[in-house]
């Protein structure tokens, strides 16, 4: 076991076409929130579901041609686990209906509903777009969100933007974790789940126009994650500094510095360390071996060559040139050894 975040995958392609939809129905029947399902593609339901457990939050990445689902009162009486569901539409058009409200979602939109109340959900691929409808959902227990259930009812089957503000951060979290679980360690699953829950709680609080309902510490952690995301998106801009970050998040410079006190670092140090991490990655990439060190440094916000060399040497104990040469030579030796063990065959 390599210690990476684990995922379970169900892919109907493993079965003959006419058995695929039955496999999907069996999966849904065994889930915490079973549904009654229809599709126009029952004769060949090519679909895939990937499950990732992050502490108390479960993430599922779906791909299918089309689905129309209903969770009835009868199914709820049979299985009522007290879950909320937050869904991000990636491709196609989706729709959620609950208690008289209806949300029609396009790619980048989020919707939220209560699995313990009757609802309808549909998701179809666009005729002129990709062949599959894709989505990511987060299944969250009631008591994992510090928000009153009666207040959240106002958001059921509502559409929320996943392209701006906290919504964009939530969408980025859902897509990054489910698209690249191998980039994260299994030991971090609980912490990643806690971050996800903080972001979801903050998103819902803002859409309730009652952010004060979200505990201060949760809002603080969510804001810190939002700042982290902003920094990562703007590392290549040499003008990125604490003042610009504070302005972008409508907080004072003093408040920004307080956010980083728990991390035992400063805003400037965080920016520098993130830039150095990207530079180290590029310097050790054989595919970028013909790219100059100065170009790599500039790509991540180090515009002055001498300054970059000083900062890099202080952090790594060697010059960028020596660091690159050492790692590329190691990669060359490994590749040469692998070629010797597994020589190419000609037929």
């Amino acid at each position: 076991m390599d210690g990476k975040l684990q995922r379970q995958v169900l892919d109907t392609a493993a079965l003959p076409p006419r058995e695929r939809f039955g496999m999907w129905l069996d999966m849904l029947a065994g889930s915490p929130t079973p549904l009654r399902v229809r599709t126009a593609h029952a004769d060949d339901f090519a679909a895939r579901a990937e499950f990732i457990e992050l502490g108390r939050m479960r993430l599922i990445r779906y791909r299918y041609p089309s689905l129309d689902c209903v969770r009835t009162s009868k199914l709820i009486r049979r299985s009522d686990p007290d879950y909320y569901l937050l869904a991000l539409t990636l491709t196609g058009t989706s729709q959620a209906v609950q208690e008289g409200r209806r949300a029609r979602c396009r790619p980048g939109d989020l919707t939220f509903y209560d699995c313990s109340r009757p609802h309808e959900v549909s998701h179809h691929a666009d005729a002129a777009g990709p062949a599959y409808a894709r989505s990511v959902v987060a299944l969250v227990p009631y008591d994992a969100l510090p928000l009153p259930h009666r207040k959240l009812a106002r958001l059921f089957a509502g559409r929320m933007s996943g392209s701006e503000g906290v919504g964009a951060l939530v969408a980025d979290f859902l897509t990054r974790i489910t698209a690249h679980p191998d980039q994260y360690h299994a030991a971090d699953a609980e912490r990643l789940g806690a971050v996800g829950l903080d972001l979801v709680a903050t998103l819902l609080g803002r859409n309730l126009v009652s952010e004060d309902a979200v505990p201060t510490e949760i809002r603080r952690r969510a804001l810190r994650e939002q700042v982290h995301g902003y920094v990562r998106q703007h590392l290549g801009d040499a003008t990125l500094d604490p003042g610009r970050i504070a302005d972008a998040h409508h907080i004072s410079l003093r408040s920004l510095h307080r956010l980083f006190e728990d991390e035992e670092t400063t805003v400037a140090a965080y920016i520098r360390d993130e830039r150095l991490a990207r530079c180290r990655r590029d310097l050790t990439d054989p595919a970028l071996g013909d790219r100059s060190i100065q170009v790599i440094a500039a790509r991540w916000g180090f515009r002055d060559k001498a300054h970059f060399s000083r900062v890099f040497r202080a952090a790594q104990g060697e010059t960028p040139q020596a660091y690159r040469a050492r790692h590329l030579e190691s990669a060359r030796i490994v590749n040469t050894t692998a070629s010797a063990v597994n020589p190419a065959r000609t037929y």
Side-chain angles (χ1 to χ4, degrees), residues 53-174:
E53 303 293 336
L54 294 182
R56 303 199 66 198
M57 172 184 281
R58 170 184 284 186
L59 302 185
I60 312 170
R61 192 179 184 100
Y62 287 119
R63 185 195 73 196
Y64 36 68
S66 74
L67 279 177
D68 295 286
C69 310
V70 179
R71 185 154 165 79
T72 63
S73 297
K74 183 177 180 180
L75 286 173
I76 291 169
R77 287 194 297 270
R78 188 183 307 168
S79 171
D80 188 6
D82 292 345
Y83 278 108
Y84 297 119
L85 190 143
L86 180 72
L88 170 67
T89 301
L90 298 178
T91 64
T93 301
S94 64
Q95 184 169 267
V97 180
Q98 188 164 64
E99 298 190 341
R101 288 181 292 274
R102 183 184 304 269
R104 181 178 174 84
C105 297
R106 299 289 298 156
D109 290 338
L110 293 152
T111 191
F112 177 72
Y113 51 89
D114 182 359
C115 297
S116 292
R117 302 187 188 195
H119 60 270
E120 299 177 22
V121 181
S122 65
H123 193 184
H124 293 244
D126 291 333
Y132 294 101
R134 293 180 170 87
S135 65
V136 179
V137 306
L139 203 58
V140 180
Y142 279 5
D143 61 0
L145 292 179
L147 295 165
H149 184 73
R150 57 183 176 77
K151 289 187 176 181
L152 286 175
R154 284 182 277 159
L155 298 180
F156 295 158
R159 188 185 68 82
M160 296 176 282
S161 172
S163 58
E164 58 186 13
V166 179
L169 196 58
V170 171
D172 184 63
F173 176 87
L174 295 177

